[in-house]
Amino acid sequence: MSLLLGAARQIGYVVRDIEKAMAQWARLGVGPWFYKEDVGTTEFRYRGEASPPPALSIALAHSGDLQLELIQQRDDAPSLYRDTLREAGEAAQHVAYWTLDRYDEHVAALLGLGYVEGHGGRMGTRGRFGYFMHPDLPSAMIELSELTGGKGEHFQRVRAASEGWDGRDPVRRLTAAGSPQA
């Protein structure tokens, strides 16, 4: 629990092969995975400058109250995902905190503490996101995620699906609209 940001909600992993990573986590009993092959980032900043959005695939699942996120970047656009893979390889990359209505306040607090935004943006109409780093502890990357535009409801569906999951249908592929494929 952070006195400033609330409860940590997610650990994000940068991976080279998201299908392989989902299968490995499912073997550990974590799932089901909600997988979107093309996230469709619409706004993106890298190190404070407007930048072409990276092509991303993302999968989400829960282990209890903690959401796990798998991220595979499918191009070489500038991003912290690309940087993490180059510098550290596949790794746990960030801890995320979620907010419905305090995003700007949390960003201001982090910036006031000397954090800088490494990258950030928005995916369609869903809430904003930003990844923040501090020069004194660069390995402790923090993501702030705004739960507006249907993102919070999607996260609730992912959490609910994990309750009592029996191991069947471990990967739920989502359409561009975010609903499961038929």
Side-chain angles (χ1 to χ4, degrees), residues 11-26:
I11 296 176
Y13 293 85
V14 178
V15 300
R16 287 189 173 90
D17 184 338
I18 199 166
E19 299 274 353
K20 181 178 174 184
M22 286 187 294
Q24 181 60 34
W25 280 103

Side-chain angles (χ1 to χ4, degrees), residues 89-178:
E90 293 185 292
Q93 185 215 32
H94 67 266
V95 173
Y97 295 88
W98 301 344
T99 182
L100 183 59
D101 56 3
R102 296 178 63 197
Y103 187 85
D104 293 322
E105 177 186 333
H106 290 326
V107 168
L110 287 172
L111 295 176
L113 291 170
Y115 283 80
V116 295
E117 185 187 72
H119 77 218
R122 180 186 300 268
M123 295 173 183
T125 60
R126 294 190 170 194
R128 297 169 288 177
F129 65 91
Y131 286 62
F132 297 85
M133 304 171 301
H134 196 282
D136 293 340
L137 190 57
S139 66
M141 194 179 304
I142 294 173
E143 178 191 7
L144 291 179
S145 188
E146 186 177 43
L147 297 181
T148 59
K151 189 189 298 182
E153 292 83 355
H154 176 64
F155 286 178
Q156 289 173 353
R157 286 189 298 274
V158 172
R159 171 70 170 100
S162 73
E163 296 172 4
W165 179 60
D166 62 6
R168 288 183 287 182
D169 194 16
V171 176
R172 318 279 168 92
R173 296 177 190 281
L174 303 177
T175 65

